[in-house]
Amino acid sequence: MAEAPLLAVESLSVAMGVTPVLEDVSFRIAPGETLGLVGESGCGKSVTALSIMRLLPNPPGRIIGGRILFDGTDMLSLDIGALRAIRGDRIGMIFQEPMTSLNPVYTIGDQIGESLIFHRGMNGRTARSETAKLLDLVGIPAARNQLDRYPHELSGGQRQRVMIAIALACRPRLLIADEPTTALDVTVQAQILDLIGRLRHELGMAVLLITHDLGVVAEFCDRVAVMYAGRIVEEAPAAQLFKQPRHRYTEALLHTMPAANPPGRKLPSISGTVPAPADRGEGCIFAPRCGFAIPRCANELPPLTEPPHRLRCWNPA
Amino acid sequence: MTMPWFIRRILGIVPTLFLTWSIVFGVLQLIPGDPVMLALGGTPASDEVLDNERRRLGLDQPVYIQYLTFLKKMAVGDLGNGYSSKQPVSEMIAARMRPSLELALGGLLVGIVLGVALGIAAGLRPHGWIDTAMMSSALVGVSLPSFWIGMLLIYVFGLQLEWVPILGDGIDALILPSITIGLFLAGGLARLIRSALIETMTQDYIRTAHSKGLSAVRVVAKHAMRNAIIPPITLLGLQFAVLIGGAVVTERVFARAGLGSMLIDAVLTKDIPLVQGLVVYTTTAYIVINLLLELLYGIVDPRIRSRRA
Ligand SMILES: Nc1ncnc2c1ncn2[C@@H]1O[C@H](COP(=O)(O)OP(=O)(O)O)[C@@H](O)[C@H]1O
Ligand SMILES: [Mg+2]
């Protein structure tokens, strides 16, 4: 990556109360690039996303180390005013729960227009016509009539489109999408992903796409970082990672993809579960579930190697 | 049906009113003793006088006719004449309404200002020092009897400091009784706002609001409060409904000639039409305020509007 990164997360560590949930997480996103962040549920993907925006619920969440550089500024040292100027303007965010992420007592027009009024200083009327254009952009037809509708009158897919309109209202340079399709029907999932894919090109923005679905990553991302139990274990260009996964956890994840299995059969899953943050031992955290563990794995944490193919494993494929 | 939601709600109170008035009528039938004897104030009278009186009051009619007549009178606001004053009950109530209404509004104002401020301060920092101080004093505020608070206020601010008059009809005589009522209201209100706000602040849409870069004040005032406000509105509305029927104790302590003191006098003198009139007035006020609350919920929360549609 020769270009100066738009976002650089460096050695980020986060604790929930006294329990560390993220340890030494680092990755970079170049302008216009899409990075996929994958891993099973509970790996720390959402905590990573919320940390970037400094939206971790506190208590119990605390950032205990590292830096988050967005366009050269350290997000962690910004005062609240400067941080708010970035939130919703230069970084937009969409969440996993479209059903609950919109405020039930305000119209969608109001909720989308709010960012425009705050960040762009628009008056109500200009914001309203801009909001109608945004709704067109995210594929909610007959936008004018939709502005005065309330979230409960919309389907999950439509609500996620509204969330996207909110996140993109100010044309951010970075979109953080935390499992944007997980809560939606399969057909709607594809539509929402297409939408994000299209807008990414139209607006030239970078995307951090969080998902536990490797299928999504394969067709969507430039690079992929795989997370396991609060650490990045492998990171590589998407094509390379799919062709030649090296970490045993990545390999196992790929085996669970629908595309890797004969249709109609039940998908295999990785045996065991992600250990709770409190139950993480000295060595590689995946070792207890790993079929290729060697003695060293249990008591010594493997270091993360350098780009372009970063890896944290003693006995890679 | 294409009727707007609020019209449906308004029509919805008709059966409630009908039922309430029927209960009032029914209870009246159960009161022991001859109403005519009571009406004459216990003075001995000949059978002929009693019969005349009975006919005049319509008590010689069968019960169902009396019932229908009663309902008809209620519907047009005719509450009959009081035994002791011989004046129309509706006029007597109207004459005493102002002191009670003023006190209710004054108390509500103090209660809202104090309760909202404390509730928000405590709810935003649960277990912080404001919260801890508030929760313990709110408990005191609610549990101390209002006559005691009232007398304390009279003693300190009226008699010792002489800051405010303790009697009279003026606006300054309203200060101490309003505080007495307001302190009581604020205690419950603050606790309710606190818990509703704590619950609301953990919602996903609050996170969304922060992700847009909105200020903390705007997030709380716009996005959280409108969602947290319905339980407090309910509490205040129902307490207001009770208050406009007269704050019995506070009116007595501050010698205010409102409906509360009127009710006590009416009960003591066994003035049945007056008691009955006050009961009808307070229950009807309660029902109407409930209706207003429902309409208010619909304005605050669009989901309530469409649930009715
Ligand atoms: N608000 C919270 N309080 C306590 N623990 C939390 C909270 N949010 C997340 N965690 C913990 O942090 C870890 C990472 O969670 P998360 O980032 O949500 O995982 P995911 O990869 O599924 O998004 C999990 O062990 C989870 O239990
Ligand atoms: Mg998550």
Side-chain angles (χ1 to χ4, degrees):
Chain A
M1 217 181 340
E3 217 172 342
L6 178 66
L7 178 75
V9 174
E10 297 177 354
S11 302
L12 178 67
S13 297
V14 172
M16 288 289 169
V18 293
T19 329
V21 293
L22 285 194
E23 282 176 272
D24 194 19
V25 169
S26 303
F27 59 84
R28 294 173 163 219
I29 304 178
E33 188 189 33
T34 298
L35 175 73
L37 186 59
V38 296
E40 286 165 290
S41 185
C43 279
K45 306 183 295 295
S46 296
V47 169
T48 306
L50 292 171
S51 299
I52 296 169
M53 288 282 255
R54 280 178 50 195
L55 285 173
L56 274 182
N58 175 356
R62 252 172 345 113
I63 295 175
I64 51 181
R67 294 204 303 169
I68 296 170
L69 299 173
F70 175 74
D71 216 3
T73 23
D74 185 357
M75 297 286 284
L76 301 184
S77 62
L78 288 181
D79 66 52
I80 186 70
L83 181 66
R84 282 175 38 215
I86 292 182
R87 285 179 182 164
D89 185 13
R90 297 170 63 207
I91 308 180
M93 187 157 182
I94 49 185
F95 303 94
Q96 184 175 342
E97 308 84 4
M99 301 315 274
T100 51
S101 290
L102 292 169
N103 194 327
V105 300
Y106 292 103
T107 62
I108 60 172
D110 179 304
Q111 297 185 60
I112 300 170
E114 205 173 13
S115 310
L116 295 168
I117 292 169
F118 171 66
H119 289 294
R120 292 281 174 268
M122 288 185 187
N123 62 28
R125 274 192 43 208
T126 335
R128 203 173 151 82
S129 66
E130 194 59 32
T131 301
K133 286 187 209 150
L134 277 163
L135 281 182
D136 275 336
L137 187 72
V138 298
I140 294 187
R144 276 274 163 197
N145 308 328
Q146 305 286 340
L147 287 178
D148 297 321
R149 299 185 72 184
Y150 289 93
H152 72 270
E153 300 171 311
L154 306 178
S155 69
Q158 283 175 315
R159 290 189 211 189
Q160 199 60 300
R161 285 175 195 270
V162 172
M163 279 302 295
I164 294 173
I166 291 176
L168 300 189
C170 296
R171 318 280 149 136
R173 299 195 59 204
L174 173 66
L175 173 70
I176 301 176
D178 186 357
E179 310 215 25
T181 60
T182 305
L184 304 172
D185 294 342
V186 182
T187 48
V188 184
Q189 285 187 2
Q191 293 167 8
I192 295 291
L193 280 173
D194 283 349
L195 176 66
I196 297 176
R198 179 165 61 76
L199 294 175
R200 165 183 62 167
H201 290 303
E202 272 173 37
L203 306 179
M205 64 185 175
V207 179
L208 172 61
L209 180 72
I210 296 175
T211 176
H212 59 251
D213 182 351
L214 278 170
V216 168
V217 170
E219 56 183 289
F220 205 83
C221 299
D222 303 313
R223 275 184 310 122
V224 184
V226 181
M227 227 178 162
Y228 185 74
R231 287 201 170 88
I232 300 228
V233 294
E234 183 166 14
E235 190 211 303
Q240 192 177 343
L241 189 103
F242 281 93
K243 202 156 50 138
Q244 274 187 331
R246 299 207 59 207
H247 198 284
R248 303 299 182 176
Y249 177 62
T250 313
E251 211 177 34
L253 273 183
L254 286 171
H255 285 309
T256 65
M257 274 176 67
N261 291 278
R265 200 110 56 81
K266 192 171 174 293
L267 289 179
S269 57
I270 309 174
S271 63
T273 53
V274 185
D279 308 330
R280 294 172 187 171
E282 291 283 292
C284 171
I285 309 158
F286 188 60
R289 296 170 77 186
C290 181
F292 303 87
I294 54 175
R296 193 179 194 184
C297 297
N299 31 34
E300 209 179 326
L301 180 70
L304 191 62
T305 61
E306 288 300 306
H309 196 143
R310 298 198 299 163
L311 180 67
R312 197 193 273 283
C313 184
W314 289 128
N315 187 18
Chain B
M1 242 198 294
T2 53
M3 224 187 291
W5 62 280
F6 52 90
I7 303 274
R8 289 169 48 117
R9 285 305 306 159
I10 292 170
L11 292 180
I13 70 166
V14 172
T16 319
L17 281 175
F18 170 78
L19 198 69
T20 319
W21 293 341
S22 303
I23 291 172
V24 171
F25 180 83
V27 168
L28 216 64
Q29 304 305 304
L30 299 177
I31 293 179
D34 187 342
V36 176
M37 298 285 259
L38 287 171
L40 294 176
T43 42
S46 66
D47 282 354
E48 198 189 329
V49 172
L50 287 177
D51 280 345
N52 278 340
E53 191 63 15
R54 198 166 277 132
R55 212 167 304 127
R56 198 179 63 76
L57 293 172
L59 293 173
D60 55 338
Q61 307 277 354
V63 174
Y64 75 92
I65 297 280
Q66 288 185 40
Y67 173 59
L68 291 177
T69 316
F70 175 82
L71 286 183
K72 207 168 72 192
K73 285 182 166 180
M74 289 300 113
V76 298
D78 178 0
L79 301 170
N81 289 349
Y83 287 162
S84 32
S85 70
K86 311 286 181 218
Q87 284 176 355
V89 166
S90 49
E91 283 172 24
M92 294 170 70
I93 292 179
R96 300 284 284 267
M97 224 146 85
R98 222 190 77 172
S100 292
L101 210 59
E102 282 174 354
L103 180 55
L105 287 172
L108 204 63
L109 187 71
V110 174
I112 289 178
V113 170
L114 214 60
V116 169
L118 286 176
I120 291 180
L124 289 180
R125 292 250 181 284
H127 310 296
W129 68 269
I130 296 184
D131 184 32
T132 314
M134 201 256 335
M135 290 301 277
S136 33
S137 49
L139 198 63
V140 176
V142 172
S143 48
L144 284 182
S146 42
F147 75 86
W148 193 82
I149 292 188
M151 283 175 358
L152 193 72
L153 290 173
I154 290 178
Y155 180 75
V156 175
F157 297 103
L159 300 179
Q160 293 301 118
L161 299 171
E162 295 186 24
W163 284 358
V164 281
I166 50 176
L167 294 176
D169 290 329
I171 192 87
D172 42 2
L174 197 60
I175 295 175
L176 293 185
S178 296
I179 293 177
T180 307
I181 304 267
L183 282 179
F184 173 78
L185 291 182
L189 182 64
R191 291 158 67 97
L192 209 55
I193 289 183
R194 172 190 184 272
S195 58
L197 196 57
I198 290 176
E199 138 90 8
T200 307
M201 288 305 283
T202 64
Q203 300 292 315
D204 289 340
Y205 53 78
I206 296 299
R207 190 180 58 191
T208 305
H210 280 299
S211 80
K212 292 191 224 177
L214 304 178
S215 68
V217 171
R218 198 174 167 83
V219 171
V220 172
K222 178 177 174 183
H223 287 273
M225 278 317 280
R226 184 142 167 198
N227 282 280
I229 206 75
I230 285 189
I233 289 182
T234 311
L235 177 80
L236 279 185
L238 296 182
Q239 282 177 333
F240 183 68
V242 172
L243 284 176
I244 62 172
V248 175
V249 175
T250 309
E251 281 182 12
R252 269 288 136 115
V253 171
F254 290 93
R256 295 181 65 83
L259 294 171
S261 4
M262 191 187 202
L263 178 66
I264 296 188
D265 295 336
V267 169
L268 291 179
T269 58
K270 295 206 172 72
D271 192 334
I272 288 175
L274 189 51
V275 173
Q276 175 195 313
L278 285 166
V279 171
V280 168
Y281 162 77
T282 43
T283 48
T284 308
Y286 203 88
I287 292 169
V288 169
I289 285 178
N290 245 310
L291 169 70
L292 294 179
L293 287 178
E294 299 262 359
L295 298 181
L296 201 55
Y297 301 158
I299 291 169
V300 171
D301 189 341
R303 287 167 299 180
I304 293 176
R305 251 164 12 227
S306 55
R307 210 177 300 154
R308 301 261 148 71

